[in-house]
Structure formats: structure tokens, C-alpha cells
Amino acid sequence: MKLGKRLGRAILVLAFWLGLWMMLARLVDTALLLPGPWAVAKRLAELAVTLGFWRTTAVSLLRVLLGVALGVITGVLLAALMSRFRLLRALFSPLLTIVRATPVASVILLALIWLGRDFLPCFIVWLMVLPVVWANVSAGIEAVDKSLLEVARLYRFSWGRKLRRIYVPSVMPYFLSALRTGMGLAWKAGVAAEVLTVPVKSIGRYLYESKLYLETTDLFAWTVVVVLCSLGLEKLMLAAIGRLDKRWNRGGQA
């Protein structure tokens, strides 16, 4: 019943925004400025039957996935090490804070001096995801109930059991929040880097060329691809981590 209500609400919301888009497109009355949803959907269908479309999407997807994976791994490791060693926290905290505050475009242009254009989008994604994961996981570690740690000490929990029964359940909500935020940033930063560096096979290249040649319908179509990839990848990763968390907890209870 709840699923039916959610689905009905989602359909109504989607219909509202598509209707508003259609009305605005009719008011503007020129596809050069604002193509209608039907024109964009038609163009997207035309692109979807070509092999180049799927190759391009796959390459950009792999860049984002690799950058996210590196950002998650290094972010979790840094959070764990910095919570344990104060010297590391004093050394790296200002640097990570600066990275979070620096505009993406500035980072891309600076990194372009040292890195090749094919690897740069992956590096930018890593750089954007890292501080988000670090900050959230650090907050999760700090939020661990100290009384539980005291109980673990009294009962002489092993390091692995302490991690499984105390730290992971406490940190997991913060980690999932970081993943949601990081995934959105990953696609924005990754595609922005592709637009500025224009790698041979990339969604950013097609976005850049669409803007350059005033192909607004293509620009909207590729933007829809980015949004769908971002949302789909976020859902898949959160679902996978959620299932892994349940298995972890079942293993800990056993």
C-alpha cells in the first residue's frame, strides 16, 4: 500500500515538472533556447541505439566509479588514522578543509597543468569525494558511544569484534550520508572536468560540442543521461552497501 502511494506521488511529481517544462518550451517557442521534453526524449532515443553512445557513457561511468572508489577508500583510511593519531589530524585537517572550500573549476585548471586530460576527471572526482567521506566518517567515529567502548574494554573485545559490533553500526549512517553527497559531487565534478579538458570519449565532450554548435536538444539529452547515471549509480551503491551492512550485522550477532 505504501509502495503504491509512493509510486503514485512520484508519477504526479514527474507529470507536474514535465508539464511545466512543456508549457515553458511552448512559450519560448524555439528549440534553440528551450527544447520540449518530447524533442529531448526523441533525441535521447536516437542516441541510445548507437554504439558510440554506450561506449561514451561507459567510459565516463568508469572514470566516476574509479574516482569514487579511491575517494571512499582514502577518506575512510584518513578518518580512521586521524582519529587515532592527533599529529596526522593536525597535519591533514587544514589541507582537506582547503580542498572542500576550493571551487571545482579552479582545481580542474590547476590539475590540468600536471595531469593528462584522460586521467584528470578521475582525479577531480577523487579529490571531491575524499573530504566528504573523511568529514562524515570522522564525525561518525567521534559519535561512537564511549560507554560501549568501555564495556568492550572490560569484556576484552578483540579489535575485529569491536569494529564489527560498535564502530561499523555507529559510523554506517554517516558513511551512507557521505556516499549520497559524494555521488552527486562526483558526477558534477567529473563531467565539469570532462567539459573543460574535452577527452576523446566522454559525456563532457558531447556537452561541450553541443554548446559550441548550439545543439541545445543534444545538450539537454546528454544532461538527462548524466542525471540518470548519477541517480541510478547512487541507488545501486546504497542498496549494495545496505545489504552488506545487514550481512555484517548478522555475522556479528552470530
Side-chain angles (χ1 to χ4, degrees), residues 8-141:
R9 185 179 300 172
I11 292 172
L12 286 174
V13 170
L14 180 62
F16 169 78
W17 288 110
L18 286 176
L20 181 60
W21 181 4
M22 190 178 299
M23 287 176 58
L24 290 173
R26 286 185 177 181
L27 286 173
V28 173
D29 198 25
T30 172
L32 183 63
L33 294 178
L34 182 62
W38 173 249
V40 174
K42 183 180 177 182
R43 181 55 182 154
L44 187 57
E46 293 172 354
L47 291 171
V49 297
T50 63
L51 185 59
F53 169 84
W54 294 106
R55 284 179 177 173
T56 299
T57 304
V59 170
S60 290
L61 184 63
L62 286 173
R63 287 194 184 106
V64 171
L65 279 174
L66 181 57
V68 169
L70 292 173
V72 167
I73 292 170
T74 52
V76 171
L77 286 176
L78 273 177
L81 291 172
M82 290 167 67
S83 66
R84 179 68 178 82
F85 303 104
R86 292 184 178 181
L87 178 59
L88 286 179
R89 185 186 305 178
L91 288 173
F92 284 98
S93 290
L95 178 61
L96 291 170
T97 303
I98 290 171
V99 171
R100 293 182 68 181
T102 305
V104 178
S106 299
V107 177
I108 294 170
L109 293 174
L110 287 170
L112 188 57
I113 299 172
W114 302 298
L115 300 175
R117 63 180 184 174
D118 289 327
F119 180 73
L120 190 138
C122 177
F123 172 77
I124 295 299
V125 170
W126 169 74
L127 205 60
M128 293 297 106
V129 173
L130 167 61
V132 174
V133 174
W134 161 74
N136 281 44
V137 173
S138 295
I141 294 172

Side-chain angles (χ1 to χ4, degrees), residues 120-173:
L120 190 138
C122 177
F123 172 77
I124 295 299
V125 170
W126 169 74
L127 205 60
M128 293 297 106
V129 173
L130 167 61
V132 174
V133 174
W134 161 74
N136 281 44
V137 173
S138 295
I141 294 172
E142 292 294 327
V144 171
D145 193 339
K146 300 300 184 292
S147 60
L148 292 178
L149 294 177
E150 183 64 22
V151 170
R153 188 183 66 81
L154 290 173
Y155 283 91
R156 297 181 179 178
F157 277 20
S158 65
W159 181 86
R161 193 179 183 189
K162 192 187 299 183
L163 177 69
R164 184 171 62 251
R165 300 295 295 273
I166 299 175
Y167 281 103
V168 170
S170 298
V171 173
M172 187 58 69

